Amino acid sequence: VLSNESAAKLLGLAPEELSGYPVSELLSAPSRPEGADALRGPLESEEAMLQPPGGEPIPVLLSANPVRSDDGRERGMVYVARDIREIRRMMEQLHELAVTDELTGLSNRRYATETLDEELSRSLRYGRPLSVAILDIDDFKQVNDSHGHALGDRVLETVASALAAGTR
């Protein structure tokens, strides 16, 4: 029935254009099989998707509370949606930092070990072969000790680049 300017701006509409849109066409709850019907209140910080007309879905934290008349009957709902796109971007960046070696851009040891465990389980489950290659740079410590860490880093970057180009 009513919307504020922030909601209309987030959806890329004028507030008067937003009036009359059914909530079920603007919101979805991907984690709930019942979809938009699950978004009836009360809800507190439920993750949902806001679907602007003709635009890309926007991840939001949604709160919803019923509006009741004096006799206790539900007359409507008040929805508050908080845009979490920036939070999602930061979470992706943190994940990337947690699983990637800063110098080479390749998976770090912890992530490689986790991935190897998952791939080994998948290989056993589906009876598919799995290949693992282990690479060692002979006397690499000597490169660092005699030519410095800057050159050692360049060697690692060159090897990593070649590995990345030749593998998935």
Side-chain angles (χ1 to χ4, degrees):
V1 175
L2 298 172
S3 66
N4 64 17
E5 292 219 11
S6 293
K9 183 179 176 183
L10 184 61
L11 289 162
L13 299 169
E16 58 275 5
E17 291 178 293
L18 191 52
S19 294
Y21 264 97
V23 171
S24 61
E25 290 182 25
L26 296 172
L27 291 169
S28 65
S31 62
R32 293 186 171 207
E34 61 271 24
D37 291 338
L39 301 175
R40 304 274 313 149
L43 297 173
E44 178 116 9
S45 296
E46 177 83 22
E47 198 162 322
M49 295 300 279
L50 188 60
Q51 179 60 60
E56 292 292 316
I58 300 168
V60 295
L61 279 182
L62 183 70
S63 296
N65 287 296
V67 175
R68 301 193 183 280
S69 61
D70 291 339
D71 62 3
R73 287 186 297 159
E74 187 176 305
R75 305 293 291 178
M77 296 291 296
V78 173
Y79 293 95
V80 176
R82 180 173 177 224
D83 184 350
I84 59 171
R85 287 179 289 194
E86 187 61 30
I87 292 169
R88 284 236 178 125
R89 273 193 287 276
M90 287 190 295
M91 295 292 285
E92 288 170 10
Q93 287 175 336
L94 284 173
H95 178 265
E96 193 65 28
L97 288 171
V99 300
T100 305
D101 178 75
E102 187 178 350
L103 176 67
T104 64
L106 298 176
S107 298
N108 62 22
R109 182 182 304 224
R110 190 186 103 233
Y111 184 70
T113 301
E114 288 173 12
T115 303
L116 180 59
D117 288 342
E118 291 170 13
E119 291 298 327
L120 182 57
S121 294
R122 188 174 292 123
S123 172
L124 293 171
R125 185 176 329 120
Y126 296 111
R128 293 185 180 152
L130 174 69
S131 297
V132 177
I134 298 174
L135 177 73
D136 182 35
I137 302 173
D138 289 339
D139 300 319
F140 182 71
K141 183 179 180 330
Q142 227 174 353
V143 172
N144 275 336
D145 290 347
S146 55
H147 299 289
H149 288 279
L151 181 67
D153 286 352
R154 285 203 323 237
V155 168
L156 288 176
E157 289 169 334
T158 302
V159 170
S161 178
L163 284 172
T167 61
R168 63 180 177 102

